[in-house]
């Protein structure tokens, strides 16, 4: 299977702890996106990379959130000092910007629960 | 006004009927539009992309785009119970990110 993969699939943590999620995009895709989705809502954009460059960050991405894509392949999203409001599904998507629609394909997501 | 709005659900249709899902968007310069299907507890799955005004058909799915009215729709013909899911409309911004509607829950009754 050469789809987008995410790890872990589920994470339960206590308030105040740091967590890190990993995303591996489809191998030839140069763009990688992070979204967050809460129950009953559509995904909300957090940030995206083209190769290793972080090109856009949402105002939703507070200074407790940081994302990296060091070699233009996999990406990590770290949340420091987690809060209960961070509980959500964190979705990663990838795309190839040379295609007509630049279609984004999502991974299975990481469900975060902050106690 | 939200950037992308979908008709409120849940939408319930009998098996074999046509399900019609609607979406409006506010940014007139948007060029690419997508429909994703999301089963409960799963991630969104891309089912249709549309770029030009008019209709685009793929199997039982037809996407319709009207840029003048800033309106996108998805028709599902011969609806099946397996089509029961939340359908998300997404609009690509100039920067590349997707802006999603809140989703419409579809229930197909046998």
């Amino acid at each position: 299977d050469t789809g987008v993969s995410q790890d872990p699939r589920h994470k339960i943590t206590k308030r105040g702890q740091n967590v890190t999620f990993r995303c591996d995009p489809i191998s030839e895709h140069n763009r990688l996106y992070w979204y967050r989705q809460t129950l009953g809502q559509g995904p909300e954009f957090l940030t995206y990379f083209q190769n290793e460059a972080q090109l856009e960050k949402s105002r939703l991405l507070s200074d407790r959130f940081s994302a990296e894509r060091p070699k233009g392949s996999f990406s990590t999203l770290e949340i420091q000092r987690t809060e209960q409001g961070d509980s959500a599904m964190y979705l990663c998507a990838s795309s190839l910007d040379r295609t007509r629609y630049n279609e984004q394909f999502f991974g299975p997501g990481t469900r975060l629960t902050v106690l | 006004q939200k950037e992308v709005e979908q008709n409120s659900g849940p939408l319930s249709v009998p098996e074999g009927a046509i399900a019609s899902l609607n979406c409006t968007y506010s940014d007139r310069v948007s060029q690419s539009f997508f429909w994703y299907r999301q089963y409960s507890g799963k991630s969104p799955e891309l089912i249709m992309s549309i770029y030009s005004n008019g209709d685009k058909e793929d199997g039982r799915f037809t996407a319709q785009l009207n840029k003048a009215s800033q309106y996108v729709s998805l028709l599902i013909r011969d609806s099946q119970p397996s089509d029961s899911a939340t359908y998300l409309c997404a609009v690509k911004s100039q920067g590349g990110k997707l802006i999603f509607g809140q989703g419409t829950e579809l229930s197909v009754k046998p």
Side-chain angles (χ1 to χ4, degrees):
Chain A
D1 185 12
T2 57
V4 179
S5 62
Q6 293 186 246
D7 183 70
R9 298 288 302 276
H10 303 273
K11 179 70 177 179
I12 300 174
T13 191
K14 293 182 179 179
R15 189 177 53 187
Q17 297 295 303
N18 299 344
V19 294
T20 300
F21 309 142
R22 176 179 170 129
C23 172
D24 287 85
I26 294 171
S27 60
E28 67 270 25
H29 284 186
N30 59 339
R31 286 196 174 186
L32 187 150
Y33 306 79
W34 286 99
Y35 294 85
R36 180 173 66 186
Q37 186 177 26
T38 54
L39 196 62
Q41 301 298 315
E44 292 179 298
F45 170 77
L46 293 178
T47 188
Y48 91 92
F49 295 84
Q50 178 153 320
N51 301 313
E52 65 274 10
Q54 189 172 19
L55 295 188
E56 187 175 350
K57 292 195 296 185
S58 166
R59 55 184 166 79
L60 293 176
L61 211 67
S62 77
D63 57 4
R64 297 184 298 106
F65 288 70
S66 62
E68 293 182 340
R69 194 182 183 198
K71 296 183 180 179
S73 57
F74 72 92
S75 175
T76 58
L77 177 69
E78 180 183 17
I79 309 174
Q80 295 182 326
R81 305 181 303 282
T82 53
E83 301 173 355
Q84 287 186 326
D86 297 331
S87 295
M89 174 79 90
Y90 289 83
L91 294 162
C92 175
S94 70
S95 72
L96 182 61
D97 67 351
R98 291 185 292 279
T99 58
R100 181 181 185 186
Y101 292 122
N102 192 10
E103 294 168 332
Q104 296 182 26
F105 298 91
F106 283 85
T110 295
R111 183 168 297 282
L112 173 65
T113 302
V114 182
L115 303 176
Chain B
Q1 181 190 4
K2 291 183 179 179
E3 293 183 83
V4 179
E5 292 201 64
Q6 296 185 238
N7 51 326
S8 58
L11 174 66
S12 182
V13 300
E15 184 174 357
I18 296 175
S20 177
L21 304 160
N22 304 314
C23 174
T24 58
Y25 60 95
S26 60
D27 187 352
R28 287 193 166 274
V29 301
S30 299
Q31 294 293 324
S32 301
F33 307 87
F34 307 89
W35 284 98
Y36 286 83
R37 177 175 62 198
Q38 187 172 29
Y39 292 113
S40 181
K42 303 295 186 182
S43 63
E45 173 192 7
L46 180 64
I47 54 172
M48 289 290 282
S49 307
I50 188 164
Y51 183 83
S52 303
N53 277 328
D55 295 359
K56 180 183 178 185
E57 188 174 319
D58 184 0
R60 295 186 297 110
F61 298 100
T62 299
Q64 298 174 318
L65 174 61
N66 184 326
K67 290 185 181 179
S69 300
Q70 296 175 241
Y71 177 88
V72 192
S73 66
L74 180 70
L75 300 178
I76 306 175
R77 289 182 301 282
D78 188 24
S79 296
Q80 301 297 309
S82 59
D83 295 326
S84 297
T86 295
Y87 289 80
L88 296 162
C89 172
V91 177
K92 187 161 76 78
S93 71
Q94 284 192 307
K97 67 186 180 190
L98 293 178
I99 302 170
F100 286 86
Q102 75 273 28
T104 299
E105 184 182 349
L106 172 66
S107 177
V108 181
K109 303 295 186 184

